[in-house]
Amino acid sequence: MKRLFSLILCVFFICIIVTGFTSCSEAETQPQLPVTDFGGEICVNTNNTQIKGSFSNNRQGVMTLTVNSPDSIKGMKYEYKDELLTINFEGIITETVLGNLPQDNFVRLLYDCMFNLNNEENINLSSFDEQSAVYNVKSSENTYKVYTITDTGIIAKIECDAMQAEFSAQEQFKEE
């Protein structure tokens, strides 16, 4: 009887230990939230046009995009900060607010998505595996799908009805 009790007690403790390890490993597999402090290359497909360039964004709301192609707008720079969008092209500078741009303008869409990624209430994890995670991001204007690398939160792609943006060669900015 004593051996049976010892055996049952031993099996009980083994079950507790195995359950503890399993629950710890499940918690570790949750994906990182999307990182919005980064810079890198961007390729945007919008309105039957492909735009390539360099992109940077930070949590303080500063977003910059410099166009490398197509050649007709190469060098155009968009910079959004302090609620003002500055567009600089061949020495001509204009400023406006994002609300003055069409709702399907890729700069407006990128900022809208990045801004809403900084509010966890607007983010819903749709699916994930060991390599990638997909988030649904809602704003007052759109719903976006954001694809990230699971273990780092680096954004690989953003999609909505009017745009698809792919990011590469990213460098994450360190929080100060």
Side-chain angles (χ1 to χ4, degrees), residues 79-147:
E79 183 177 53
Y80 182 83
K81 67 179 179 181
D82 299 327
E83 298 185 20
L84 193 63
L85 176 66
T86 303
I87 304 168
N88 184 342
F89 185 58
E90 296 181 345
I92 300 170
I93 300 171
T94 186
E95 295 179 334
T96 188
V97 293
L98 286 178
N100 289 341
L101 298 176
Q103 283 192 331
D104 65 349
N105 177 277
F106 74 98
V107 175
R108 181 174 175 166
L109 293 168
L110 283 170
Y111 184 79
D112 184 49
C113 183
M114 291 294 174
F115 176 80
N116 284 286
L117 277 169
N118 288 324
N119 184 347
E120 289 185 32
E121 293 176 3
N122 298 334
I123 304 171
N124 181 30
L125 179 62
S126 174
S127 65
F128 74 97
D129 58 29
E130 289 180 8
Q131 309 228 328
S132 63
V134 180
Y135 293 88
N136 292 321
V137 180
K138 290 192 178 209
S139 76
S140 60
E141 297 180 2
N142 284 296
T143 300
Y144 304 91
K145 279 194 181 244
V146 177
Y147 299 81

Side-chain angles (χ1 to χ4, degrees), residues 152-170:
T152 63
I154 291 174
I155 298 171
K157 182 167 53 172
I158 295 172
E159 291 180 345
C160 68
D161 291 340
M163 174 202 72
Q164 177 180 313
E166 293 186 27
F167 301 90
S168 60
Q170 289 189 36

Side-chain angles (χ1 to χ4, degrees), residues 21-35:
F21 284 130
T22 305
S23 64
C24 288
S25 65
E26 286 176 11
E28 291 171 9
T29 61
Q30 287 294 312
Q32 287 281 9
L33 286 172
V35 173

Side-chain angles (χ1 to χ4, degrees), residues 67-79:
V67 177
N68 296 333
S69 77
D71 287 338
S72 59
I73 57 171
K74 185 175 183 174
M76 183 176 284
K77 182 177 181 179
Y78 299 89
E79 183 177 53

Side-chain angles (χ1 to χ4, degrees), residues 12-79:
F12 176 74
F13 282 119
I14 289 173
C15 288
I16 289 176
I17 291 171
V18 169
T19 304
F21 284 130
T22 305
S23 64
C24 288
S25 65
E26 286 176 11
E28 291 171 9
T29 61
Q30 287 294 312
Q32 287 281 9
L33 286 172
V35 173
T36 58
D37 286 327
F38 71 93
E41 300 301 312
I42 188 171
C43 179
V44 178
N45 290 299
T46 182
N47 298 322
N48 298 320
T49 303
Q50 185 177 72
I51 300 165
K52 293 183 178 182
S54 57
F55 177 87
S56 67
N57 187 76
N58 66 36
R59 293 181 72 82
Q60 290 76 33
V62 179
M63 184 181 85
T64 305
L65 187 145
T66 304
V67 177
N68 296 333
S69 77
D71 287 338
S72 59
I73 57 171
K74 185 175 183 174
M76 183 176 284
K77 182 177 181 179
Y78 299 89
E79 183 177 53

